[in-house]
Amino acid sequence: MATHTQGGRVHATPVADDLAEGRIVNVQGGDWDQEMGELGMNPEERIVLNMGPQHPSTHGVLRLILELDGETVTEARAGIGYLHTGIEKNMEFRTWTQGVTFCTRMDYLTPMFQEAAYCLAVEKVLGITDDIPERASAIRVLMMELTRISSHLICLGTGGMEMGATTIMTISFRERERILSVIENITGLRMNNAYIRPGGVAQDLPHGAIDKIREMVPQVRKGIGELEKLLLENPILKGRTKRVGELSLTGCTALGITGPVLRSTGLPHDLRKLTPYCGYDKYDFEVITRTGADAYDRLAIRLAEMRESLKIVEQVTDELQRNPGPVMVADKRVAWPSQLAVGGDGMGNSLDHIREIMGTSMEALIHHFKLVTEGFRVPPGQAYVAVESPKGELGCHVVSDGGTRPYRAHFRDPSFNNLQAVAAMCEGGNLADVIVAVASIDPVMGGVDR
């Protein structure tokens, strides 16, 4: 027998025994204690609540299965897989360069980090890590740090909106638009850029890009200051986030959790410092840590990390202005013989280059055709490379059998690992705090399900 209420009245509906376990109750309005009394339920009975996968506060299609004792969460589980797109399997049927177009779409808020991890892994198997031009590495750092700020702004904006602070969302999205405007100017696209390629980057910075970056940085820094004033000493926010979603260093270590969640325990674990890549050791920045290990500290860490990212962007911009040079490896067996430019329809070959290879150089046209359609060969081997994404350690493991396509490409997405903390953070707390705890993890389901 299933019972539900409508308009304050209780209605009973028969349910076949083989279709339901125990008793199913659908409550639609009315006083909870009164409804439970009319239903004759034992107050000690546990209620299982599905939050998601279609819910405005679960950061994508995340399903949370919560067992409740009144307003207290006694058991929490995460259900995933609703956004599975088969990206890793699809990459086995595309060339090494085409693989960038797939992995950039995994965590759609941090596309540059997936591209960088994948390309660094491919370059490691190719044995050309030391041949990547310095300017290409600097541009990679620039794009990753811009993307880090953009991702953190989404985390803070959506988290604020879920707690009822709409102003936090509007300010965060306003500043993110400034970042995306620069990224679009450089790559031709706001998201899913496929800009970082094996061997370097697709194209150099367009004319005027450095001026746009220098104009944007103080504006975004001012916006971060507004967020700090609204958030850090706000008594309402402190009441909603302090001592909420706590997870100790021991818990993080046991669950393999990285990123701001781990750094909120006081451990300065940041791959940009521990195992520098793309020349991060040349730049001056701090690894932000706190010791409260709760949702408030993770929020404060992200705010401070955005300021550090702006410091790196300024340093990279100065370096790029001082040091012109190539942005793709010199080996023509790997580097596409193309001269890309941002046009009205995104990024493609410049018209001058198309006229040249079509009209004056048949050899260049043939080489271009073979390299684009067949791709370059990668010697047999495998490699794992990890980068520090906004959510934590993002790793890419590629395996080559000597062909023009990956034999296997697998990613360690930090959101996938970090979601393991849902039970530890939520059990024993209030139902309303589940939203805050999940927001402090900052999961993106495109990266979890892949």
Side-chain angles (χ1 to χ4, degrees), residues 121-194:
V122 175
E123 291 159 4
K124 190 172 182 180
V125 181
L126 281 168
I128 61 171
T129 300
D130 296 333
D131 300 329
I132 307 303
E134 288 188 8
R135 186 173 179 85
S137 294
I139 293 175
R140 288 178 175 183
V141 171
L142 171 69
M143 303 309 292
M144 283 190 282
E145 293 309 312
L146 289 174
T147 304
R148 187 185 310 279
I149 301 169
S150 169
S151 175
H152 281 348
L153 287 169
I154 286 288
C155 174
L156 296 173
T158 54
M161 179 183 64
E162 289 156 6
M163 289 185 283
T166 310
T167 309
I168 305 302
M169 184 197 70
T170 56
I171 293 176
S172 296
F173 274 67
R174 181 193 69 196
E175 300 310 318
R176 180 174 180 257
E177 284 303 308
R178 302 188 203 276
I179 300 285
L180 292 183
S181 177
V182 170
I183 291 176
E184 184 178 14
N185 175 250
I186 295 172
T187 71
L189 293 167
R190 289 160 54 90
M191 300 165 67
N192 304 332
N193 310 93

Side-chain angles (χ1 to χ4, degrees), residues 306-321:
M306 288 192 289
R307 289 194 176 275
E308 295 301 313
S309 290
L310 286 177
K311 284 170 53 178
I312 297 174
V313 167
E314 288 177 321
Q315 295 173 64
V316 175
T317 303
D318 292 339
E319 179 184 346
L320 290 172
Q321 192 164 37

Side-chain angles (χ1 to χ4, degrees), residues 340-386:
L340 300 180
V342 174
D345 58 347
M347 186 168 59
N349 274 308
S350 67
L351 292 177
D352 290 339
H353 181 61
I354 292 174
R355 293 189 188 100
E356 177 187 345
I357 63 175
M358 291 292 288
T360 61
S361 176
M362 179 58 69
E363 291 80 6
L365 178 62
I366 294 171
H367 180 55
H368 191 158
F369 180 80
K370 287 182 66 66
L371 197 55
V372 171
T373 55
E374 295 180 6
F376 53 81
R377 293 188 177 275
V378 175
Q382 59 182 317
Y384 176 83
V385 173

